[in-house]
Amino acid sequence: MRNPLADVPVPLLDDLIDDDYVRSLVVGVVGTLGTLGLLGLLFPDSVAGDLAGIVFSAGTAESTARLAAPIVLAGLGGIFAEKSGVINIGLEGLLIISAFASVYIASVIGIGNAVLGVPAIWIGFLAGIVASTLLAGVFAVVCIEFKADQIIAGLAVWLIALGLAPFMSTVFFGGVNTPNLGASVGWRYSATMVVIATAASWWTLNRTAFGKHLRASGENPKALDTVGVSVSRVRYAGVLLSGVLSGVGGSALALSIGQFVGSGETMVQGKGFIAIVAYLFGNYNPLGTLGAGVLFAGLDATQIRLQQLGYAVPDTLVQTIPYVVVIVVLALVGRTRIPAAAGDHYETEE
Amino acid sequence: MNPAVHLDGITKRFPGVVANDDVDLAIERGSVHALLGENGAGKTTLMNVLYGLYRPTEGTVVVEGEPRSFASPRDAIDAGIGMIHQHFMLVDPMTVWENVVLGNEPRTWGGLRVDEKAAREAVIELSERYGFDVDPDARIEDVSVGVQQRVEILKALYRGAEVLIMDEPTAVLTPQEVEELYGVFEELTEQGKTIIFISHKLGEALSAADEITVLRDGVNVGTVASEDVTREDLAEMMVGREVLMEPATTPQEPGDRVLGVTDLRVEDDRGVEAVSGVSFELRAGEVLGIAGVDGNGQSQLVEAITGMREPESGSVEYLGEPMAGATRREHIDRGMAFIPEDRHEKGLVMSYDLVQNGILGSQHEPPFAAGGRIDWNASTDHAESVIEAYDVRPPNPDADAESFSGGNQQKFIVGREFERDPDLVVATHPTRGVDIGSTEFLHDRLLELRAEGKAILLVSSKLDEVQGLSDRLAVIHEGAFTGVVDPATVTEEEIGLLMAGETLDDESVSGAAIHDAVDDGLDGDGAGDGDGAGDGDGAGDGDADDESGPNREPAADGGVEA
């Protein structure tokens, strides 16, 4: 089935996105928002008017940015790992561990203190990235060196973080939820990081030799090996980058509130899995992932605001939207192309 | 002047095996050198020594007069040696230029950015210098296998290769692409490059190489100039005894009709019609050969006959019964043996051992199935008997299929299928990848089956094979038979014309009695409800296509004087 939006001519985007599926995704999101805005202007008293009021309110934009940061950043990380041939379904775990580590370290140092002139909250931010990268490193060793099944190892990463973070919170703070730091990282910082990370990821994947090697490693590792590039080194780099980016996402999520919430599914609440959905929906293109991440986060933010206005929108239903979308995209549109060697171990023959 | 490459007394021992025994080989600069030998003769090992994948146990590799010791292929590449593997090492969704420069990308911006412009220009420049017709921006998955091979050559040239080693370069090519490859050889050698290619095909060694070295059991049997030898000489050098190049078929009166195919139309996976109204009959004790360039509908025709693909219309009748809607198991149970063209995909389960592979297709019936269990003793005995009768090496039924070489895998499949006691054998490329000694044996066995009164449908891209074994020879082009000829009297040129889609007016060639099955009113008798989608048996009476199809196919009905 051909994507009906694929033929919309958008010459400006042509250079940036050489994939008409992703291009149509971006056009679709922009088009839907535009239509909604127009309807809202024309019929300000209707549901569309309320909806447009919410969607285009500063409050929604803020919470969208907050909610989108972990999804988009973990999604970008997932692209690096999967393009290299390692499917990292442990993104959720990386988000959890970095969310906790960032808050913990910031509170250990103490808000108001600084190390080498860097305020505690930013030290915490870095600590979140380090924690996530270390956990991703363990995952990489298990998958690449010891050739464990990537799906099972990825689930283990999630389950370890899901158990470890609330446990450590209980040990250090006496409860699964940490106390609030009383300081936070503003949403503008998160939004800036998302934009920079998206652009940098796109450029790295499409313009650098490393990007080409990453792609070859996930499509036909033997081809890369025979031209003298170490496949496992490229794969380690891909998985560690997924750790770094997820770490940025997890820290941004926790520090935007100033607290780690460890009850239930923790404050991450499946955003790592939605990140996987986002990059699949975005067809491994960082721009598509950004679009998908903002779309999912926007739906969630809108849903929250609608509830506040008294509309009985079931939140659990809204939260299933990303998963329904990915099934539709994978099954019907069928334009997402998974790297040929993703999930396979590679053993050099020399 | 020094030879481009001199292998000086190379011996390579593996635990328990001597793969190369004191091999001496000097290859002139600017020449094409064929390394000929049977499976397991040590050709690939020798080339892996030259390419730095193996270190020789004894002996030296001398390149351009300098003794070298390669620790890895990188060293060999640095010394100007490039290898083109049989299975291409290309990244499908990437473009030609990206593949060529992969791992050695020119950079700008202080090494940060790939210099696409420089890379494309380098690829275009190389491609033009050697007369390759390659679009640098095409994706690998969109270009033909022949072009992919040229991209592999470009990869080696881009890395400064002076000596190109090619492992069975024609194995995956169509006859036209093979001709083009020979042209590429000429271009390359004219500009001073040296080519060594590994082969077990006599014909291509004779037509493409300047010099031929024959290896047998790891020993260099001799290096000869290609104009000084005949196929028979080479075959004898390879096998170590005289080889009958022409299988000896004896005339035989065919028996009852085993297979009847009527106006068969089959679509390929993309929904394009691949078989356009083919009709023929096959009788007991008869071999019908189907010749044609690969990809002209042979696969789909065979799949429709063996029950692996539902035809759009037309019928297949086997032993007097229509086969429409019959499952694959029913086909096997009714005595239809099938040697598939792709042994990895359809012939074997690569991660099963030969015992398990040996009972595939018969696992549900005695003697292998006993009371809901599989009788592993009987299965092992069966695998061992096939291994012994068909000389599968190493003779280890407990080894996984993937650990065997292609030729030995093929021998095992052929053995399994031949020993099913079938009424019909559908054999596609039965000797693909098999060395001449074993090919001779498989051919003899095939003719024995014919003498026992089995019907055999033989699809092969090896012209001498189909011509030598068949009682009748059908030539297929774009899904339709362009002619059914008597292989004893037809010339290779005539077959070539038919393969290219021409027809022959010469009645004497089409000695086989031909009539049009459709005109005789044998209209798709398997046709049932005709309710469209999912109804595989298809052809409703009065289907407009049946009356007006442009490719009305002659059905030769067997009465040939072989």
Side-chain angles (χ1 to χ4, degrees):
Chain A
M1 191 171 134
R2 243 187 99 64
N3 185 342
L5 290 167
D7 295 314
V8 178
V10 189
L12 271 179
L13 287 171
D14 272 8
D15 281 348
L16 220 51
I17 311 171
D18 59 349
D19 177 338
D20 52 354
Y21 159 72
V22 174
R23 208 181 303 143
S24 60
L25 178 68
V26 173
V27 172
V29 172
V30 173
T32 311
L33 288 176
T35 313
L36 185 62
L38 196 65
L39 283 174
L41 283 178
L42 293 175
F43 310 102
D45 297 326
S46 66
V47 180
D50 275 357
L51 206 54
I54 291 167
V55 169
F56 297 108
S57 72
T60 310
E62 250 187 73
S63 58
T64 299
R66 228 195 297 278
L67 293 168
I71 297 177
V72 176
L73 288 161
L76 294 173
I79 295 179
F80 281 99
E82 191 155 332
K83 280 239 171 193
S84 81
V86 182
I87 302 172
N88 187 352
I89 68 161
L91 297 175
E92 174 86 0
L94 300 180
L95 288 176
I96 294 174
I97 209 73
S98 52
F100 173 75
S102 61
V103 173
Y104 171 67
I105 295 295
S107 80
V108 164
I109 293 168
I111 295 301
N113 299 333
V115 177
L116 301 172
V118 184
I121 199 156
W122 291 107
I123 298 288
F125 205 103
L126 282 176
I129 298 175
V130 171
S132 163
T133 309
L134 283 177
L135 188 55
V138 172
F139 172 72
V141 170
V142 167
C143 285
I144 300 168
E145 194 65 34
F146 298 111
K147 304 193 174 5
D149 185 283
Q150 295 171 3
I151 302 300
I152 293 172
L155 282 175
V157 166
W158 170 44
L159 292 170
I160 287 170
L162 188 62
L164 195 61
F167 170 72
M168 301 225 291
S169 174
T170 314
V171 169
F172 294 123
F173 301 103
V176 291
N177 302 341
T178 67
N180 200 303
L181 290 172
S184 62
V185 171
W187 69 273
R188 285 185 181 79
Y189 288 103
S190 304
T192 311
M193 281 183 239
V194 166
V195 171
I196 291 175
T198 304
S201 298
W202 184 88
W203 199 82
T204 305
L205 287 169
N206 289 287
R207 291 288 176 265
T208 65
F210 172 66
K212 310 266 183 212
H213 296 173
L214 210 56
R215 192 160 172 206
S217 161
E219 292 286 350
N220 186 353
K222 207 160 181 192
L224 192 64
D225 193 18
T226 50
V227 295
V229 179
S230 160
V231 173
S232 54
R233 210 176 294 173
V234 171
R235 290 189 168 182
Y236 272 115
V239 175
L240 289 177
L241 272 174
S242 78
V244 171
L245 286 161
S246 301
V248 177
S251 296
L253 175 71
L255 295 178
S256 69
I257 303 169
Q259 187 188 17
F260 173 77
V261 180
S263 56
E265 303 173 291
T266 79
M267 68 194 305
V268 178
Q269 266 190 319
K271 289 189 178 58
F273 293 110
I274 295 181
I276 298 175
V277 172
Y279 75 71
L280 285 175
F281 191 28
N283 202 9
Y284 301 93
N285 185 318
L287 298 173
T289 306
L290 175 66
V294 170
L295 181 70
F296 296 151
L299 283 172
D300 209 11
T302 308
Q303 169 260 130
I304 293 167
R305 289 294 299 227
L306 278 173
Q307 307 230 13
Q308 289 164 356
L309 284 182
Y311 288 98
V313 185
D315 58 334
T316 43
L317 202 61
V318 173
Q319 277 152 12
T320 62
I321 287 178
Y323 303 105
V324 173
V325 163
V326 81
I327 289 171
V328 171
V329 167
L330 290 180
L332 297 181
V333 185
R335 298 296 293 270
T336 297
R337 181 184 161 142
I338 294 165
D344 295 344
H345 300 301
Y346 181 72
E347 199 155 3
T348 173
E349 280 173 14
E350 287 155 30
Chain B
M1 197 168 117
N2 288 316
V5 171
H6 183 199
L7 297 171
D8 188 9
I10 300 288
T11 297
K12 177 68 188 172
R13 283 192 203 96
F14 293 104
V17 190
V18 182
N20 292 136
D21 188 5
D22 195 21
V23 175
D24 249 321
L25 184 59
I27 293 155
E28 287 307 318
R29 215 181 137 78
S31 70
V32 179
H33 199 101
L35 201 53
L36 198 62
E38 300 219 291
N39 298 334
K43 312 177 293 268
T44 305
T45 306
L46 187 65
M47 286 301 104
N48 283 343
V49 167
L50 175 55
Y51 191 55
L53 277 168
Y54 296 148
R55 281 165 170 278
T57 315
E58 284 161 34
T60 341
V61 174
V62 184
V63 180
E64 298 286 351
E66 266 182 66
R68 298 279 195 154
S69 168
F70 300 144
S72 78
R74 286 231 62 100
D75 296 346
I77 292 169
D78 292 342
I81 291 168
M83 182 144 179
I84 288 123
H85 300 266
Q86 194 177 348
H87 300 286
F88 300 149
M89 304 290 176
L90 298 172
V91 185
D92 282 347
M94 298 202 341
T95 63
V96 167
W97 75 259
E98 284 175 316
N99 269 285
V100 171
V101 303
L102 185 69
N104 292 57
E105 295 88 353
R107 318 247 178 132
T108 54
W109 296 15
L112 269 181
R113 182 185 169 136
V114 174
D115 191 344
E116 289 183 23
K117 198 158 161 271
R120 284 186 75 252
E121 274 167 9
V123 173
I124 292 170
E125 198 263 323
L126 273 176
S127 170
E128 276 172 2
R129 187 183 336 152
Y130 295 100
F132 293 3
D133 183 21
V134 178
D135 171 10
D137 297 313
R139 283 178 206 272
I140 295 300
E141 60 201 355
D142 296 333
V143 301
S144 70
V145 174
V147 173
Q148 291 181 8
Q149 189 172 53
R150 269 174 260 169
V151 176
E152 280 283 15
I153 298 175
L154 284 175
K155 258 171 86 174
L157 293 172
Y158 178 78
R159 286 165 177 74
E162 289 298 320
V163 178
L164 290 162
I165 307 168
M166 300 186 80
D167 191 356
E168 306 218 3
T170 62
V172 289
L173 301 183
T174 64
Q176 291 93 328
E177 286 172 337
V178 170
E179 282 305 316
E180 285 170 22
L181 178 67
Y182 294 165
V184 167
F185 281 2
E186 262 174 45
E187 280 289 340
L188 289 167
T189 47
E190 265 170 32
Q191 304 198 34
K193 307 287 180 190
T194 308
I195 293 165
I196 308 171
F197 73 91
I198 299 176
S199 179
H200 61 240
K201 293 182 191 156
L202 305 172
E204 72 184 39
L206 281 169
S207 44
D210 302 314
E211 279 195 317
I212 302 168
T213 294
V214 179
L215 286 187
R216 186 173 73 232
D217 298 330
V219 177
N220 182 350
V221 185
T223 298
V224 290
S226 62
E227 58 255 36
D228 299 343
V229 285
T230 63
R231 292 168 70 90
E232 284 72 18
D233 299 337
L234 285 175
E236 204 175 324
M237 286 169 80
M238 277 168 75
V239 183
R241 61 180 164 81
E242 212 174 313
V243 180
L244 277 177
M245 297 303 290
E246 297 283 327
T249 79
T250 46
Q252 179 175 324
E253 198 59 43
D256 297 336
R257 185 168 103 149
V258 172
L259 183 71
V261 170
T262 310
D263 198 29
L264 199 67
R265 288 171 192 276
V266 191
E267 288 183 354
D268 65 14
D269 290 335
R270 294 165 300 163
V272 177
E273 188 168 87
V275 178
S276 314
V278 165
S279 304
F280 65 87
E281 274 192 356
L282 180 56
R283 288 168 185 269
E286 184 188 36
V287 180
L288 173 65
I290 295 184
V293 178
D294 276 354
N296 271 283
Q298 295 98 319
S299 315
Q300 288 77 15
L301 175 63
V302 161
E303 285 172 5
I305 291 170
T306 53
M308 302 177 62
R309 186 182 285 272
E310 293 193 353
E312 294 308 301
S313 70
S315 71
V316 177
E317 199 187 279
Y318 174 59
L319 296 175
E321 286 175 51
M323 296 302 278
T327 62
R328 178 74 193 120
R329 177 181 281 195
E330 282 162 351
H331 281 80
I332 298 173
D333 289 351
R334 289 189 209 173
M336 203 188 269
F338 174 45
I339 299 163
E341 61 184 321
D342 184 337
R343 55 181 163 247
H344 293 180
E345 200 180 316
K346 300 206 178 85
L348 295 168
V349 178
M350 300 309 284
S351 57
Y352 280 10
D353 59 25
L354 293 191
V355 174
Q356 287 167 301
N357 271 297
I359 60 169
L360 287 185
S362 344
Q363 72 281 359
H364 57 288
E365 49 186 30
F368 308 126
R373 294 176 58 252
I374 286 178
D375 183 342
W376 291 114
N377 289 332
S379 307
T380 308
D381 290 347
H382 175 65
E384 278 170 353
S385 71
V386 171
I387 287 171
E388 198 190 323
Y390 288 84
D391 187 29
V392 177
R393 281 187 247 183
N396 177 9
D398 297 321
D400 286 348
E402 63 197 347
S403 67
F404 290 85
S405 72
N408 282 300
Q409 292 170 355
Q410 186 70 17
K411 283 190 272 183
F412 188 78
I413 297 174
V414 174
R416 178 184 73 202
E417 297 299 322
F418 280 3
E419 300 311 315
R420 246 184 233 295
D421 190 24
D423 291 308
L424 169 67
V425 178
V426 179
T428 41
H429 311 291
T431 59
R432 181 175 273 180
V434 177
D435 58 43
I436 1 176
S438 306
T439 298
E440 190 191 16
F441 170 75
L442 294 181
H443 285 169
D444 287 347
R445 191 73 192 94
L446 195 112
L447 292 173
E448 274 172 45
L449 289 177
R450 170 177 172 269
E452 290 166 21
K454 319 291 190 198
I456 293 157
L457 183 66
L458 174 67
V459 179
S460 176
S461 51
K462 288 186 197 163
L463 215 49
D464 47 352
E465 179 171 271
V466 267
Q467 210 178 345
L469 293 170
S470 306
D471 295 308
R472 285 183 297 142
L473 179 60
V475 183
I476 194 167
H477 172 75
E478 292 186 352
F481 285 175
T482 43
V484 179
V485 296
D486 180 353
T489 56
V490 73
T491 65
E492 234 172 77
E493 288 69 34
E494 285 167 328
I495 298 179
L497 282 176
L498 290 169
M499 281 167 79
E502 312 271 326
T503 45
L504 302 177
D505 326 309
D506 189 354
E507 283 300 321
S508 67
V509 177
S510 309
I514 289 176
H515 72 273
D516 193 317
V518 180
D519 286 350
D520 276 8
L522 295 175
D523 207 339
D525 44 322
D529 22 47
D531 61 1
D535 172 32
D537 44 14
D541 297 33
D543 180 344
D545 256 333
D546 280 353
E547 303 305 321
S548 61
N551 297 308
R552 181 73 63 237
E553 279 325 305
D557 77 356
V560 71
E561 304 80 32

